[in-house]
Amino acid sequence: MTDYNKVDENIIQQFRDYVSGKVYAGNDINEDFFHDEMPIYGSYQPDVLIEAKSTDDVSTILTICNEHKIPVLARGAGSGLVGSGVAINGGVMIDMQGMNKILEYDLDNLVVKVQPGVYLHDLAEDCLTKGYMYPPDPGEKFATLGGNVSTNAGGMRAVKYGTTRDYVRAMEVVLPTGEVTRFGAVVSKTSTGYSLKDLMVGSEGTLGIITELTLRIVPQAKHTISLIVPFETLEDCIATVPVLFRAHLKPQAIEFMERKIIIASEKYIGKETFPKNIEGTDVNAYLLITFDGDNEDEIDLQMEQAAELLVENGAIDVLVADTPNAIKDAWAARSSFLEAIDSQYKLVDECDVVVPINKIAEFINFVNEAGEKYDFDVQSFGHAGDGNLHIYAVSNDEDKKEEFNKQVHDFMEEIYTKAYEFGGQLSGEHGIGHGKLQYMREFEGEINTNLIRGIKKVFDPNMILNPGKVVSVD
Amino acid sequence: MTDYNKVDENIIQQFRDYVSGKVYAGNDINEDFFHDEMPIYGSYQPDVLIEAKSTDDVSTILTICNEHKIPVLARGAGSGLVGSGVAINGGVMIDMQGMNKILEYDLDNLVVKVQPGVYLHDLAEDCLTKGYMYPPDPGEKFATLGGNVSTNAGGMRAVKYGTTRDYVRAMEVVLPTGEVTRFGAVVSKTSTGYSLKDLMVGSEGTLGIITELTLRIVPQAKHTISLIVPFETLEDCIATVPVLFRAHLKPQAIEFMERKIIIASEKYIGKETFPKNIEGTDVNAYLLITFDGDNEDEIDLQMEQAAELLVENGAIDVLVADTPNAIKDAWAARSSFLEAIDSQYKLVDECDVVVPINKIAEFINFVNEAGEKYDFDVQSFGHAGDGNLHIYAVSNDEDKKEEFNKQVHDFMEEIYTKAYEFGGQLSGEHGIGHGKLQYMREFEGEINTNLIRGIKKVFDPNMILNPGKVVSVD
């Protein structure tokens, strides 16, 4: 075990003297900072919470922490789901939410420069006012962009537009030593040494702290249309997805969901949009599909082709949402799944495993069958267009938390084993954090895990930066 | 300086005993393997050339080389332009061209699995017969895909479709220790630890040898149209590019070229397609633009909008190529630039610097002015849509090679300094190899260069794999 030092009064005074943002210590730290959106992974109090206002602040903090061998991590909105932004070793937490300026649009090069604490929602909205779109669209709109980049957040539109990685052109980074550097460039094409920028994307704040981002934007699509597609069985539902791709259709998003999660979510938001029974047939699964583009005729054509294929392949009906309000309603239930689950259950754990899209149906069946032998309930939904599945283990037996955790572990082992059999991976978009760390070596293998550890040590010789996330400390 | 061992008879015998492919030693090695397509960087004879037939072959060779501390590198078609695939330390060269099978299409997941020795041309053609497209389109069609991935090759279509990186889903890799591992997965979305796959892309064979690739393909665009757009001045020509992007037009490719390189290239291929004088006005620069898409009306509309904007912004004319033959003719001259230059000049050096697209005109003017003080001629062309510029220093004074090299060095220093001032980088698609290594530390900085060196040592503790490329040995 690496020995870290404690933050003493002298060091706290250094932070107060040399950092421009506020410094909180001990009981002055708000408990919201002790966990992220998956509290099942534990509550951990940092010794100090510092609001960073500038790159200099971050550099000063890291220099001091590195000198004294104190664990330190950056935290965005705390909306993570694997415990990446949680101070499991105590030490210093840097709140990045104060660095929240959209700095500059460069519309010749189609990029925007932002500070890492800007919320996804704010950049997305701001881009639209200029006729542009920032395509990555994870479910949580009030995550910071720094957090999105650090997890390579995916979201709904990945099937057409790719993930956050595809929109990161360049970044300013403070290394664990306090040194400030830049990775990448404004340009769209580069082959200038190893891609340190791509190494940073998805590294969950373990290699350096991002203090500025240059992100790619695209012209806003002029037209959008959504389809709600009910099916009698989940199998029929998911089996249609490769059919759409083989027909060369290019949806912006394809989500699948089971009946019970829609019911829970509609109850949570207080509005019913999805049909539950059509002419005597119970609906047990849905696809929610969006097409976008600049040419209305082209989108209508794609929509018609899709509708025909969907019905041919077992859809009971195809409901079209083609006004902004109707589209918003169609997506409202989908956007509230996590909140709906949290509101219903006291114990919640989840995984965001990813499998090849032609294996989704088989995989979900496996998951549902495997789930039957455990005491908890299983709920699942996910990105049918890219195979990224959100599988929830939920229970209200709060007294049996330890047993719940044990059972969930066994369940996850089963799920991941099957996912890797199918050519999938542990996480599609949430990352590893410390919540999934125990599975890394087993599923990603000794060789790859050792390479990751080696790289971590190159960036962070004292292992002070967000230790115990992605890769174990020892 | 790292001390390497020589390949002795005993080791050669081990290769002959344990590797299934042919082993050539000493004078039996064809001189073509001594250099790549930029012979100005020198001629180097490997001690042994081994034709790899399988992953096992590669693993066996690396295990032996690692044990005996012998430098070793993989080579594809030898079409590189920075000396990456050249045995500057002697030792073992592995010819990957025998591993040239297209293994399997998976059209549900839109990927194809290939061996690394498949030529880009062969995969591109094969995809088309199935109605799909492998979008990366570097000028050299007879490069191997392993080489394309190792340099993150860009090419003409990067402006719309991205670079090779964007099409690499997964790979099998043999590490310098001989261990075999896999990075990435078939899936399009992943956040499972550091992206070792993205670290491999563009690492020029210095971290591991790729023995299998899973590449993303897309449905083939149904319609394509090209425009030849003559301008009186280069400045007018390049200034129109951001105008097209701001109008939300999405060309597949936008190349710019100066008059003299078109004349040389048309002479080389024996066919004239580009107008040189229009109603008394000399043409001094051209844009060559392609639009593609599934909807003919949509493409026609884009083309008309583009034509209008181009003429408004100084184009003398807009020539439309809308049949396969006309499009082929329009692009034939562009595809032969390098051969045309090589056929004309005895001394050729080049760079493929990249700058933000709104800086191209200013940058090319700077380059042309800077070039005037040197004895060599300067020719340039490039990807106007992504700022990746190919700038050639050419001369026929073969007797003055040393002076040529010295002057080119000074010229490159000037060019790179200006490129970095503008926010650009050393290489857009060719890589660093050993030809550009001397510029890495100066322009990418001490911090980033040290990180790259550290990562190299994690993968390759004995520094045996393609030493002296991208990062210096000591």
Side-chain angles (χ1 to χ4, degrees):
Chain A
M1 183 68 191
T2 300
D3 285 325
Y4 294 113
N5 291 315
K6 294 294 288 179
V7 187
D8 61 25
E9 278 307 317
N10 172 37
I11 292 170
I12 294 176
Q13 195 54 48
Q14 284 188 45
F15 291 139
R16 293 197 202 276
D17 289 347
Y18 299 116
V19 177
S20 68
K22 277 192 192 159
V23 178
Y24 303 85
N27 293 338
D28 291 342
I29 301 171
N30 189 315
E31 284 186 19
D32 287 349
F33 290 94
F34 296 2
H35 61 83
D36 63 8
E37 291 298 317
M38 198 53 63
I40 195 93
Y41 301 142
S43 177
Y44 302 90
Q45 178 168 356
D47 300 315
V48 182
L49 175 75
I50 309 177
E51 291 172 356
K53 296 288 177 205
S54 67
T55 303
D56 277 355
D57 278 355
V58 176
S59 173
T60 301
I61 297 166
L62 289 190
T63 304
I64 293 171
C65 288
N66 195 45
E67 192 189 324
H68 296 281
K69 227 178 160 193
I70 289 166
V72 52
L73 81 163
R75 174 170 166 125
S79 59
L81 292 164
V82 292
S84 264
V86 176
I88 59 170
N89 290 284
V92 176
M93 178 180 277
I94 308 177
D95 179 1
M96 302 298 290
Q97 292 175 104
M99 292 180 68
N100 60 358
K101 287 192 189 62
I102 297 174
L103 298 168
E104 190 188 1
Y105 284 88
D106 171 353
L107 297 181
D108 286 333
N109 291 295
L110 292 180
V111 293
V112 57
K113 204 181 271 185
V114 300
Q115 289 186 316
V118 172
Y119 295 130
L120 169 64
H121 167 272
D122 294 348
L123 178 64
E125 293 290 313
D126 199 59
C127 281
L128 290 178
T129 65
K130 295 181 161 54
Y132 290 86
M133 170 161 83
Y134 175 67
D137 189 35
E140 176 57 65
K141 312 304 176 202
F142 289 90
T144 63
L145 291 164
N148 279 183
V149 171
S150 296
T151 53
N152 187 24
M156 322 287 185
R157 297 185 191 137
V159 51
K160 178 169 177 179
Y161 289 101
T163 61
T164 301
R165 178 182 304 285
D166 302 306
Y167 294 87
V168 181
R169 282 280 162 80
M171 52 175 74
E172 180 185 74
V173 172
V174 182
L175 297 176
T177 53
E179 293 166 301
V180 181
T181 188
R182 292 193 70 85
F183 300 147
V186 167
V187 298
S188 59
K189 224 178 184 181
T190 173
S191 186
T192 307
Y194 306 164
S195 183
L196 301 173
K197 173 203 70 150
D198 278 291
L199 196 53
M200 281 295 296
V201 177
S203 66
E204 303 181 38
T206 62
L207 297 177
I209 295 179
I210 296 166
T211 46
E212 192 189 280
L213 285 163
T214 302
L215 301 170
R216 180 162 80 97
I217 54 179
V218 302
Q220 184 190 358
K222 291 184 191 127
H223 305 280
T224 304
I225 203 164
S226 285
L227 306 178
I228 293 176
V229 193
F231 290 85
E232 194 178 350
T233 70
L234 179 68
E235 239 162 359
D236 280 354
C237 168
I238 293 174
T240 56
V241 176
V243 175
L244 299 179
F245 287 126
R246 280 189 182 247
H248 292 194
L249 295 170
K250 292 167 193 156
Q252 181 215 68
I254 313 188
E255 300 290 302
F256 83 89
M257 48 216 70
E258 292 186 89
R259 178 189 182 89
K260 60 183 169 183
I261 204 155
I262 277 291
I263 289 174
S265 189
E266 289 189 337
K267 192 175 155 201
Y268 178 76
I269 61 171
K271 185 162 191 171
E272 275 199 51
T273 312
F274 286 68
K276 310 296 173 310
N277 183 295
I278 296 173
E279 293 173 15
T281 305
D282 267 348
V283 179
N284 287 301
Y286 308 84
L287 288 181
L288 178 55
I289 306 177
T290 297
F291 290 100
D292 71 355
D294 286 343
N295 186 301
E296 202 163 2
D297 295 343
E298 168 70 15
I299 295 179
D300 285 346
L301 192 69
Q302 289 224 15
M303 191 261 287
E304 282 161 27
Q305 278 182 282
E308 202 170 306
L309 285 169
L310 288 160
V311 170
E312 266 173 39
N313 286 275
I316 310 175
D317 199 357
V318 175
L319 288 75
V320 179
D322 56 2
T323 66
N325 274 340
I327 292 170
K328 206 174 151 192
D329 283 348
W331 281 88
R334 168 64 185 88
S335 299
S336 300
F337 282 170
L338 180 53
E339 290 88 338
I341 288 172
D342 278 341
S343 73
Q344 276 186 298
Y345 296 98
K346 297 205 173 81
L347 296 175
V348 177
D349 202 343
E350 68 103 56
C351 80
D352 86 306
V353 66
V354 57
V355 298
I357 60 165
N358 58 344
K359 296 290 185 187
I360 299 177
E362 201 179 333
F363 186 76
I364 289 287
N365 283 335
F366 172 85
V367 167
N368 286 341
E369 273 176 35
E372 278 170 20
K373 55 180 174 296
Y374 299 104
D375 298 332
F376 49 74
D377 277 346
V378 174
Q379 298 214 9
S380 53
F381 57 94
H383 311 294
D386 56 40
N388 185 202
L389 310 174
H390 300 305
I391 296 160
Y392 281 79
V394 291
S395 165
N396 277 318
D397 259 355
E398 220 175 349
D399 298 343
K400 296 186 180 165
K401 188 173 166 188
E402 209 167 304
E403 177 63 18
F404 174 81
N405 284 341
K406 205 186 139 306
Q407 288 196 14
V408 168
H409 173 82
D410 294 346
F411 179 54
M412 294 294 166
E413 282 276 343
E414 285 192 71
I415 289 181
Y416 292 139
T417 302
K418 181 58 77 178
Y420 275 76
E421 245 178 73
F422 283 163
Q425 285 194 305
L426 287 176
S427 168
E429 56 187 9
H430 294 171
I432 301 303
H434 74 105
K436 307 296 178 195
L437 181 59
Q438 58 186 313
Y439 306 106
M440 270 295 274
R441 190 169 292 268
E442 179 180 351
F443 291 101
E444 285 293 303
E446 195 72 17
I447 295 174
N448 292 8
T449 318
N450 286 344
L451 290 173
I452 288 175
R453 162 186 300 287
I455 293 166
K456 164 73 176 165
K457 284 195 173 160
V458 169
F459 281 71
D460 184 12
N462 289 330
M463 299 289 262
I464 56 157
L465 189 59
N466 207 6
K469 319 295 171 65
V470 186
V471 60
S472 59
V473 176
D474 294 292
Chain B
M1 182 68 189
T2 301
D3 284 326
Y4 295 112
N5 291 315
K6 292 295 286 179
V7 185
D8 61 24
E9 277 307 318
N10 171 37
I11 292 171
I12 293 176
Q13 195 53 47
Q14 286 189 44
F15 291 138
R16 291 197 204 276
D17 289 347
Y18 299 115
V19 177
S20 67
K22 277 192 193 158
V23 178
Y24 303 86
N27 293 336
D28 291 342
I29 301 171
N30 188 316
E31 285 186 17
D32 287 349
F33 289 95
F34 297 2
H35 61 83
D36 64 8
E37 290 299 317
M38 198 53 62
I40 195 93
Y41 301 141
S43 177
Y44 302 90
Q45 180 169 355
D47 300 315
V48 183
L49 175 75
I50 308 177
E51 291 171 356
K53 296 289 177 202
S54 67
T55 303
D56 277 355
D57 278 356
V58 176
S59 173
T60 302
I61 297 166
L62 289 190
T63 303
I64 294 170
C65 288
N66 195 44
E67 190 188 326
H68 295 282
K69 228 180 159 192
I70 289 165
V72 53
L73 80 163
R75 174 170 166 123
S79 58
L81 292 164
V82 292
S84 264
V86 176
I88 59 170
N89 290 283
V92 176
M93 177 180 278
I94 309 177
D95 180 0
M96 301 298 291
Q97 291 175 103
M99 292 180 69
N100 60 359
K101 287 191 189 63
I102 298 174
L103 298 169
E104 189 189 2
Y105 285 88
D106 170 354
L107 298 181
D108 286 333
N109 292 296
L110 292 180
V111 293
V112 57
K113 206 180 271 186
V114 300
Q115 289 187 314
V118 172
Y119 294 130
L120 169 64
H121 168 271
D122 294 348
L123 177 64
E125 292 291 312
D126 199 59
C127 281
L128 290 178
T129 65
K130 294 180 163 55
Y132 291 85
M133 170 161 83
Y134 175 67
D137 189 35
E140 175 57 64
K141 312 304 176 202
F142 290 90
T144 64
L145 291 164
N148 279 183
V149 171
S150 297
T151 52
N152 186 23
M156 323 289 185
R157 297 184 190 138
V159 51
K160 178 168 177 180
Y161 289 101
T163 62
T164 300
R165 177 182 305 284
D166 302 307
Y167 294 86
V168 181
R169 282 280 161 81
M171 52 175 75
E172 181 185 73
V173 173
V174 182
L175 297 177
T177 53
E179 293 166 300
V180 181
T181 189
R182 292 193 69 85
F183 300 147
V186 166
V187 299
S188 58
K189 224 179 185 181
T190 173
S191 185
T192 307
Y194 306 164
S195 183
L196 300 173
K197 173 204 70 147
D198 278 292
L199 195 54
M200 282 295 296
V201 176
S203 66
E204 302 181 41
T206 63
L207 296 177
I209 295 179
I210 296 166
T211 45
E212 192 189 281
L213 285 163
T214 302
L215 301 170
R216 181 162 79 96
I217 54 178
V218 302
Q220 184 189 359
K222 292 185 189 124
H223 304 281
T224 304
I225 204 164
S226 285
L227 307 177
I228 294 176
V229 193
F231 290 84
E232 195 176 351
T233 71
L234 180 68
E235 241 163 355
D236 281 353
C237 168
I238 293 174
T240 57
V241 176
V243 175
L244 298 180
F245 287 126
R246 280 188 181 247
H248 292 195
L249 295 170
K250 293 167 191 157
Q252 181 215 69
I254 312 186
E255 300 289 301
F256 83 89
M257 45 216 73
E258 292 186 88
R259 178 189 184 88
K260 60 184 168 182
I261 203 154
I262 277 291
I263 288 173
S265 188
E266 290 189 337
K267 193 174 154 202
Y268 177 77
I269 61 170
K271 186 161 191 173
E272 275 199 48
T273 312
F274 286 68
K276 310 297 172 310
N277 184 294
I278 295 173
E279 293 174 15
T281 305
D282 268 346
V283 179
N284 287 302
Y286 307 84
L287 288 180
L288 178 54
I289 306 177
T290 296
F291 290 99
D292 70 356
D294 286 343
N295 185 301
E296 200 162 4
D297 294 344
E298 167 71 16
I299 296 179
D300 285 347
L301 192 71
Q302 289 224 15
M303 190 262 287
E304 281 160 29
Q305 277 182 285
E308 202 170 304
L309 284 169
L310 288 160
V311 171
E312 266 174 39
N313 285 275
I316 309 175
D317 199 357
V318 175
L319 289 75
V320 178
D322 55 4
T323 65
N325 274 340
I327 292 170
K328 206 174 152 191
D329 282 349
W331 282 87
R334 168 64 186 87
S335 300
S336 300
F337 282 169
L338 180 53
E339 291 87 340
I341 288 171
D342 277 343
S343 72
Q344 276 187 300
Y345 296 98
K346 298 206 174 82
L347 296 175
V348 175
D349 202 344
E350 68 104 56
C351 78
D352 86 307
V353 65
V354 56
V355 298
I357 60 165
N358 58 344
K359 297 289 185 187
I360 299 176
E362 200 180 333
F363 185 76
I364 289 287
N365 282 336
F366 171 86
V367 166
N368 287 341
E369 273 177 36
E372 276 170 22
K373 55 181 173 299
Y374 298 104
D375 297 332
F376 48 75
D377 278 346
V378 174
Q379 297 213 8
S380 52
F381 57 94
H383 311 294
D386 56 40
N388 184 204
L389 309 172
H390 300 305
I391 295 159
Y392 281 79
V394 290
S395 164
N396 277 318
D397 259 355
E398 222 176 347
D399 299 344
K400 295 186 180 164
K401 188 173 165 188
E402 208 168 304
E403 176 63 18
F404 173 82
N405 284 341
K406 205 185 139 308
Q407 287 197 13
V408 168
H409 173 83
D410 295 346
F411 179 54
M412 293 295 167
E413 283 275 343
E414 284 192 71
I415 288 181
Y416 292 139
T417 303
K418 181 59 77 177
Y420 276 76
E421 244 178 74
F422 283 163
Q425 285 194 305
L426 286 175
S427 168
E429 56 187 9
H430 294 171
I432 301 301
H434 74 105
K436 306 297 177 195
L437 181 59
Q438 59 186 312
Y439 306 106
M440 270 294 274
R441 191 168 291 267
E442 178 179 353
F443 292 101
E444 284 294 302
E446 195 72 17
I447 295 174
N448 293 8
T449 317
N450 286 344
L451 290 174
I452 288 175
R453 161 186 302 287
I455 293 166
K456 165 72 176 164
K457 284 195 173 162
V458 169
F459 280 71
D460 185 11
N462 288 329
M463 299 291 261
I464 57 157
L465 189 60
N466 207 5
K469 318 295 171 63
V470 185
V471 59
S472 60
V473 176
D474 295 291

